[in-house]
RNA sequence: UCCCGGGUGGUCCAAUAGUCAGGAUGCCUGACUCUGAAUCAGGAGGUCACGGUGCAAUUCCGUGCCCGGGUGCCA
């Protein structure tokens, strides 16, 4: 770390000075240091109308990260202002996902609907100030009067209603005297503003819908542009961080805060949302995939949702680290999926226990084995990255399975696995030599007859170099497992902007089920959600469907890097 | 057409009015290896364009080009 050459020592609640700050943290740091906001308060305000995805993780890491680094706090607030779309199921899923990612909100869990009464009072206040009016125009009329990008809007006939009339009408809107859409409340700002958001935005609409929390207590609901800044201000949020598409709303955000009697003045700062290659991120599209059964629910391991990634086996720490890697800017970036997968492998390499599993078994008979029932106990390293993890016993008998891929009758140059007459190491065990290739009448290889060299356990054979060590499972000890192999959901780098509908670019077989892989028996007893490495194949996570003691079910989290396969596909 | 925001290796992110513009990832090569993994070493690859002000510009200014957002009673 060294000494801090950059100016005076920072207050105790500053982040480590060696970490460079992104443009948002720089603002926060300045506000902390200047004393403007000694205790920064951020918030994560999801709308409970869908599940959280990896893009939300970026916002989560930012908001909760700042709270941690600057000894502030971060509120979790459900932005539940549209009962048409929101549901308690989503709220519960969101809380689960935030906690899983590793963030805690303590007592600071709120809902925009907590503030409905106060928001209503603010609306009355605006009316009394002559800053809001009830517009009885139809949606079409309002739209027509809004103008266009290049032409100013104009007032509707209701813009100059008296304060008394507005008060009366708005009160009756709440009382339920009118039907849906009959009136709206609008902020009175500037119909000629070049920013369309400032052309008298609607801030309340009549909607006879049952809200999942407030039930039928209200028939008018505030809109985001009104509810959000005021909720922030009521909670004493200091830095309200949101994505770029709200940049055009900031003047309105500031207007609401400035014209209502609120206890604080939060500042909105925008950053670029995350886009990932081969992924769609919009909640609307993810909902569509779920609704149309193109995936198996929000937590399908192919989904970019946090629940999907969790089920797939992505560690929370990997996602957090990924968010650190991608940084924070205002640039519309398209992040390579490889960056995420790298974080996942990096994390799992450190923590995942290794096992052996054979997905596509080819039987080997060791012809010179001491006896048909003879069994020897081998000792396999659980995690070479972690000596503490120790070793485990692995049984070896006369017959073992190896991966069919690991044998080639007529291999290309550079292939150094098993071949006729060739010798390979059975990992953690003996070296074996292929003496005979056994085929059925169709010419299909059914098994290999091999001999083993008893003098190769724990040491290299004399005078020969054995290049490959392949994984295996003893036929007499293996258990069958179902393995689900996932591929990316889309074939196109940018399914959103590709020609046609995004669903045209779905990968045809993005999940392949291997019904009867042969795995080490210990894998049958691991707890669901445990992620392990199948040596030489990849990282795999025990699925939620996995019941310890029954037939194991594993999801492939991510493959290991495979430079041989890469070289082959290059041709 | 108008308003707002943005353009640094393939990708993501740093830095600077002046050493060879750094890091990560990806790619290539080699070493090591009982995981063709990991690890280690090396390599290729970049300041959108044009002007302006500076002794000096990727950095400051202007213009152009390109990209994103903006006409919900969605968020």
């Amino acid at each position: 770390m060294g000494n801090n050459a950059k100016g005076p020592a920072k207050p105790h609640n500053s982040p480590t000075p060696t970490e460079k700050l992104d443009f948002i943290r720089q603002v926060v740091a300045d506000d902390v240091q200047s004393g403007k906001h000694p205790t920064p308060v951020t918030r994560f305000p999801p709308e409970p109308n869908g599940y959280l995805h990896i893009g939300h993780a970026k916002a989560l890491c930012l908001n909760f990260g700042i709270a941690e680094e600057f000894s502030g706090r971060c509120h979790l607030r459900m932005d539940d202002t549209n009962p048409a779309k929101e549901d308690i199921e989503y709220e519960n899923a969101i809380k689960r996902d935030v906690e899983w990612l590793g963030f805690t909100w303590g007592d600071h869990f709120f809902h925009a609907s907590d503030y409905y009464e106060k928001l209503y009072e603010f609306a009355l206040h605006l009316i009394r100030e002559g800053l809001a009016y009830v517009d009885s125009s139809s949606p079409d009329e309002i739209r027509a009067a809004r103008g266009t990008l290049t032409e100013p809007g104009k007032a509707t006939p209701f813009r100059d209603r008296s304060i008394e009339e507005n008060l009366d009408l708005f009160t009756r809107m709440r009382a339920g005297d009118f039907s849906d859409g009959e009136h709206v409340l609008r902020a009175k700002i500037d119909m000629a503003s070049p920013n369309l958001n400032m052309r008298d935005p609607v801030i309340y609409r009549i909607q006879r819908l049952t809200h999942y929390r407030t039930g039928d207590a209200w028939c008018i609901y505030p809109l985001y542009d009104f509810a959000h800044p005021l909720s922030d201000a009521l909670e004493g949020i200091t830095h309200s961080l949101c994505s770029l598409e709200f940049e055009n709303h900031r003047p309105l955000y500031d207007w609401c805060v400035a014209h209502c009697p609120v206890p604080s003045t939060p500042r909105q700062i925008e950053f670029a949302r995350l886009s990932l290659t081969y992924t769609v991120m919009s909640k609307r599209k993810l909902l569509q995939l779920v609704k149309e059964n193109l995936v198996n629910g929000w937590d399908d391991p192919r989904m970019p949702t946090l629940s999907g990634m969790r089920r797939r086996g992505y560690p929370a720490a990997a996602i957090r680290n990924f968010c650190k890697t991608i940084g924070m800017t205002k640039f519309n970036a398209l992040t390579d999926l490889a960056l995420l997968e790298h974080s996942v492998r990096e994390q799992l390499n450190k923590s995942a226990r290794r096992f052996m599993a054979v997905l596509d078994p080819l039987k080997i008979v060791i012809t010179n084995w001491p006896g048909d029932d003879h069994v020897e106990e081998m000792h396999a390293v659980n995690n070479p990255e972690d000596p503490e993890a120790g070793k485990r016993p692995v049984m070896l008998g006369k017959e073992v399975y190896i991966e069919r891929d690991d044998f080639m009758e007529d291999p290309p140059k550079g292939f150094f696995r098993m071949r006729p007459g060739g010798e390979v190491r059975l990992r953690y065990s003996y070296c074996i030599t292929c003496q005979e290739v056994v085929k059925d009448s169709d010419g299909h290889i059914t098994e290999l007859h091999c001999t083993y060299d008893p003098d190769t356990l724990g040491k290299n054979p004399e005078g020969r170099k054995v290049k490959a060590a392949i994984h295996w499972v003893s036929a007499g000890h293996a258990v069958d497992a179902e393995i689900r192999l996932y591929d990316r959901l889309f074939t196109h780098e940018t399914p959103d902007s590709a020609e046609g509908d995004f669903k045209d670019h779905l990968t045809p077989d993005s999940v392949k089920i291997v019904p009867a892989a042969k795995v080490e028996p210990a894998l049958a007893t691991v707890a669901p959600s445990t992620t392990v490495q199948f040596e030489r194949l990849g990282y795999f996570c025990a699925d939620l469907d996995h019941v310890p003691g029954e037939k194991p079910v594993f999801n492939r989290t991510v493959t290991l890097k495979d430079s041989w396969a890469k070289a082959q596909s290059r041709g």
Side-chain angles (χ1 to χ4, degrees), chain A residues 259-448:
Chain A
H259 295 284
C260 291
V262 291
S264 76
T265 305
R267 170 176 174 188
Q268 172 175 307
I269 306 173
E270 310 83 13
F271 59 91
R273 62 169 9 155
L274 170 69
S275 300
L276 266 187
T277 54
Y278 303 103
T279 307
V280 297
M281 213 70 93
S282 96
K283 276 202 258 184
R284 200 201 98 235
K285 286 173 182 162
L286 295 178
L287 211 210
Q288 210 176 330
L289 294 174
V290 172
K291 283 260 156 73
E292 296 176 21
N293 292 311
L294 296 167
V295 296
N296 300 315
W298 286 98
D299 69 342
D300 186 299
R302 294 166 292 181
M303 290 284 271
T305 51
L306 295 183
S307 53
M309 290 182 170
R310 173 169 65 236
R311 187 165 185 175
R312 174 117 171 207
Y314 284 18
I319 292 175
R320 279 187 258 115
N321 186 56
F322 167 72
C323 289
K324 200 174 292 180
T325 310
I326 58 176
M328 194 58 64
T329 64
K330 302 190 72 159
F331 174 65
N332 276 297
L334 175 63
T335 300
D336 194 333
L337 230 204
L339 253 18
L340 210 208
E341 294 189 334
H342 170 262
S343 287
V344 172
R345 290 192 182 101
E346 184 182 44
Q347 185 66 36
L348 258 15
N349 179 48
K350 286 186 287 193
S351 61
R353 292 190 37 161
R354 317 264 130 146
F355 288 93
M356 293 196 286
V358 175
L359 300 191
D360 185 11
L362 172 60
K363 184 183 278 188
I364 299 251
V365 179
I366 303 173
T367 53
N368 62 337
W369 193 246
D372 288 355
D373 300 323
H374 179 70
V375 171
E376 292 189 24
E377 185 176 293
M378 305 296 150
H379 300 280
V381 175
N382 283 325
N383 184 351
E385 305 293 322
D386 176 17
E388 302 278 286
K391 294 186 173 186
R392 69 184 184 284
V394 177
M395 299 302 165
L396 175 66
K398 184 181 176 70
E399 296 186 345
V400 305
Y401 296 112
I402 67 166
E403 209 68 62
R404 197 165 277 274
D405 277 357
D406 283 337
F407 173 78
M408 285 187 91
E409 207 171 4
D410 185 21
K413 31 229 145 294
F415 181 88
F416 51 76
R417 275 109 93 153
M418 190 61 120
R419 66 174 74 203
E423 183 175 21
V424 298
R425 157 89 55 192
L426 292 181
R427 188 142 160 87
Y428 305 122
S429 178
Y430 299 100
C431 292
I432 58 172
T433 301
C434 176
Q435 308 295 162
E436 189 187 350
V437 180
V438 182
K439 299 178 182 177
D440 62 19
S441 52
D442 297 330
H444 183 70
I445 299 171
T446 54
E447 58 184 49
L448 264 26

Side-chain angles (χ1 to χ4, degrees), chain A residues 234 463 563:
Chain A
L234 286 169
S563 56

